[in-house]
Amino acid sequence: MNQPDTQPRRSLYCHYQVYPASPRPAEDGSAAPGAPVVIVGGGPIGLSTALLLARHGQRCVLLHAEQQVCEGSRAIAFTRRTLDILRQTGADQALTALGLPWSCGNSYYRQQRVFRMQSPPDDDQRFSPMLNLQQPLLEQALVGLIAEQPLVELRWGHKLVALADDPADSGGAMLSVDTPSGGYSQRADWLVACDGARSNLRQWQGLALEGESYEGRFVIADIRIDLPLPTERLAYFDPPWNPGNTVLMHRQPFGMWRIDYQLPAGESADQALQPASMQARIDAQLALIGHAGLAWEMDWCSVYSARALTLAGYVHGRVIYAGDAAHLLPIFGVRGANTGFQDAQNLAWKLALVAGGRADRSLLASYSQERVAAAREIIAEAGKSTRFMTPPSRGFRLLRDASLSLALRQDFVRPLLHWRASRAHDHLDSALNAADDDTALFGSGPVVGAPMANLRLGADSYLMDLPPAGFCLLWFGADAALLAALLACVAAARRRGVALDVIGLGRSDGPHGAHLTWLDDAAGRIASRYGVNPADSAAAYLIRPDQHVCARWRQLTPHRLDAALRRAVPPAVTPTPAGEA
């Protein structure tokens, strides 16, 4: 969610548990025991980063200034890629049990539908293309998992109030933390800033966001209403009651609907949130969709502005930025939180290796390189969507309205109205991608830098479920002697702290060994999806812990595998302080 222009109003109907403030780790106000990783901010990105770090065996402390999860719907639409990521935290079952899946979006102009976006069904995917669920419910599911995770210490009511370099150790930072029972000092080897759009850490470090802010502002209104409409994205351009502006509608679980409507130029947030103003506008929108006079109740409301901004780098000394603290992205195309979850997954495995002393800190530079590139790509795409949703000038408005008007009569124009939804980003230029592989020889299959391809294996089994927490080698070869040599390479990697497992794809009765499992692909279905030919006797894919392809070979050798692993995980040059990890 982008930075609101006014403080959101308290939810009237959604009541969330209030947690007692966590006790101070140092009751006398002195320094608490040092921590290898401290995360600041207990929103969805901070919570998921903590759980993903724990997945990789890394202990962390999570400081959350509040004593409850957030209020109001905020981020409500989560992509398939986000659900794949959250499956690694264990939260997916709770989310899919509560959320509303959807795959269609509709755009209306002058009360006529001018475009329908529909994602085709894909039986090889565990999740639907999109899932609607209010952010507080997602946060509550993550909090429940953290309560059962011994590697994560969540401190409710602990607010970071100051940051200073640790004079006793140039490799760490000393934090000043305030609590209802008094303050204390906390040393951290690494600090992850997930403190949101108004990030104090970003301000304390004097970091500026780059990009563009847009004039268009929107009211968010969560209302309780019984609307007999399907779960689809609804966008209304130039409605009679809000001429020249845009209205968005989303169904939410538990009888709630989210309505976002653009404000006329010059109207303040305080004016927009007046009860009489909101009553009139929501009633007008309900009348527009054929449900005039239908009773509804307000649950929560706020005002936001569209931003398309990012830091130029996400790693600054021992402070690492993720989510809205790193970038502010327009909600059009559900990019904000969904991009943050990709940050969390990308960062967690790298920080776990570095904080645990198993990789050089230069590995974290790849987090910044990959995720800044993704943010800039999103900003370029989102800029197009944002200028269409909220034209910044008379010229853009004329172009937008002309496209919409033409779409009333001409089919060829309608695809131009596509809203460019959030997607998984391909790290095609990552410094971690293998320098010596055979990717140019593949005619199909997931490219290096892209997420691995998923396939249904059974009633409740998918290929993406199989790789463990570390690296995974998908082995399509048939050479038993070569496989034995590769397993020796796997053992060597594990001895230096790089988790690597092999999944053999082919005959289920193949040779066995430590960290080797077999999956029957006698029919070649998985091989075909990955562009592997029956004649390839030593084909393989190397998958990173964040499910992205790191390398692919037609002819893998132990030397090539070792080189790819050392490029993806540069060995530690000097010991990294690891606290008690």
Side-chain angles (χ1 to χ4, degrees), residues 219-269:
V219 166
I220 302 173
D222 288 346
I223 65 172
R224 184 180 296 276
I225 187 172
D226 184 16
L227 271 179
L229 297 175
T231 306
E232 298 182 349
R233 174 191 182 268
L234 304 174
Y236 298 86
F237 296 96
D238 195 26
W241 67 268
N242 198 9
N245 293 324
T246 306
V247 182
L248 304 174
M249 295 184 67
H250 274 283
R251 187 184 197 97
Q252 302 181 63
F254 307 111
M256 304 292 291
W257 275 80
R258 162 85 163 259
I259 301 179
D260 296 31
Y261 57 84
Q262 189 178 357
L263 295 179
E267 183 170 341
S268 71

Side-chain angles (χ1 to χ4, degrees), residues 109-194:
Y109 179 58
R110 294 180 181 171
Q111 298 169 268
Q112 179 177 330
R113 190 170 72 186
V114 292
F115 178 67
R116 179 172 174 82
M117 180 279 296
Q118 184 166 7
S119 298
D122 189 342
D123 191 54
D124 281 325
Q125 300 294 336
R126 175 180 288 277
F127 302 110
S128 63
M130 304 291 294
L131 185 84
N132 277 2
L133 182 68
Q134 296 96 318
Q135 181 176 323
L137 299 177
L138 182 147
E139 290 185 11
Q140 198 70 62
L142 296 173
V143 167
L145 291 168
I146 283 179
E148 301 173 358
Q149 176 50 256
L151 292 177
V152 180
E153 181 185 353
L154 172 52
R155 298 178 188 170
W156 296 99
H158 286 227
K159 181 180 181 180
L160 179 63
V161 294
L163 167 68
D165 290 334
D166 185 353
D169 184 349
S170 60
M174 188 63 77
L175 319 177
S176 295
V177 183
D178 191 25
T179 78
S181 59
Y184 66 95
S185 297
Q186 173 72 64
R187 183 188 174 280
D189 292 339
W190 295 96
L191 187 61
V192 182
C194 297

Side-chain angles (χ1 to χ4, degrees), residues 33-37 58-59 169 171 186-190 318 354-357 576-581:
V37 178
Q58 179 57 57
R59 184 176 69 84
D169 184 349
Q186 173 72 64
R187 183 188 174 280
D189 292 339
W190 295 96
R318 290 298 175 112
V354 172
T576 300
E580 300 174 11

